[in-house]
Amino acid sequence: MVSFSNKNYYRGWIYNKPQWWVKFNNIVLHHLYSKYIYGFMVKSARLYCICISSMLWMLLKFIKNSSSLSVECLTDIVVVDNPNSLDCRFTINYFLLSYIYNHRVVVRTFTNIVKGIRSLTYYYNSANWLEREAWDMYGVKFLLHPDLRRILTDYGFQGHPLRKDFPLIGFTELRYDDGFKSICVEPVEMTQDYRVYKFNNGWINWK
């Protein structure tokens, strides 16, 4: 797996930063690096961690309930689709915030279409709608989610729009039918009337 760990750079960086980062380094990285975390790096005043998908909920539970870290807010979930990688097609980034220490942590993990990942709704209330949005747009499965259903698209929508293999025009289209007085859902048809083109150049005979 990809590792962003650079111990020489990280040691030189950690001693010039506030005490919060030292606590995170001592508590999390030293005890969980070999078990749950593939690698880490610091960029733009944020700490990026690459975690095993099966142990993601344990890591986030630990850093939230720890009084020395207090990363208690999940601000956003960002999914990146990579169709060329079947085993790790989806890259999921969790953006976390500590209200007490005013620092941000980004935890990154990988999953595929079949495997899925455990839901974090039990630990973060904001994960409910964020995970539903990721499921609706990308089709990422979140296990043990209390209400995993679409949130942005229509009820009868087929497919996941933000996947890179999803066509730009979609599969179905909606229109209002005056005869039935209702909304009709039909397959997309790219029809075009026959046109007659005149290729004569009007500037040739101009004097």
Side-chain angles (χ1 to χ4, degrees), residues 13-14 22 35 71 74 110 113 127 163:
W13 181 89
I14 201 69
V22 179
K35 295 182 180 180
V71 185
L74 176 63
F110 304 91
I113 300 177
R163 285 187 179 179

Side-chain angles (χ1 to χ4, degrees), residues 134-193:
W135 156 252
D136 191 5
M137 295 290 103
Y138 292 94
V140 180
K141 296 181 180 179
F142 293 93
L143 308 177
L144 302 179
H145 191 283
D147 187 18
L148 190 62
R149 54 190 173 94
R150 296 187 181 273
I151 190 174
L152 296 178
T153 57
D154 196 11
Y155 292 105
F157 191 85
Q158 297 179 0
H160 305 281
L162 292 186
R163 285 187 179 179
K164 292 184 178 179
D165 55 359
F166 189 84
L168 295 178
I169 60 175
F171 298 104
T172 58
E173 59 182 0
L174 286 84
R175 66 177 182 86
Y176 180 78
D177 192 291
D178 293 332
F180 293 100
K181 301 297 181 181
S182 63
I183 298 176
C184 300
V185 180
E186 300 175 347
V188 176
E189 295 182 1
M190 301 295 293
T191 59
Q192 184 175 349
D193 296 335

Side-chain angles (χ1 to χ4, degrees), residues 19-29 32 47 59-72 97-103 105:
Q19 189 67 22
W20 187 88
W21 294 104
V22 179
K23 293 179 181 179
F24 195 97
N25 177 63
N26 296 333
I27 298 175
V28 177
L29 300 181
L32 303 178
L47 179 61
L59 174 62
L60 296 184
K61 176 185 177 181
F62 179 79
I63 63 177
K64 177 185 179 181
N65 297 331
S66 176
S67 60
S68 301
L69 303 176
S70 298
V71 185
E72 65 273 8
L97 172 65
S98 175
Y99 290 132
I100 299 177
Y101 302 102
N102 192 23
H103 288 289
V105 179

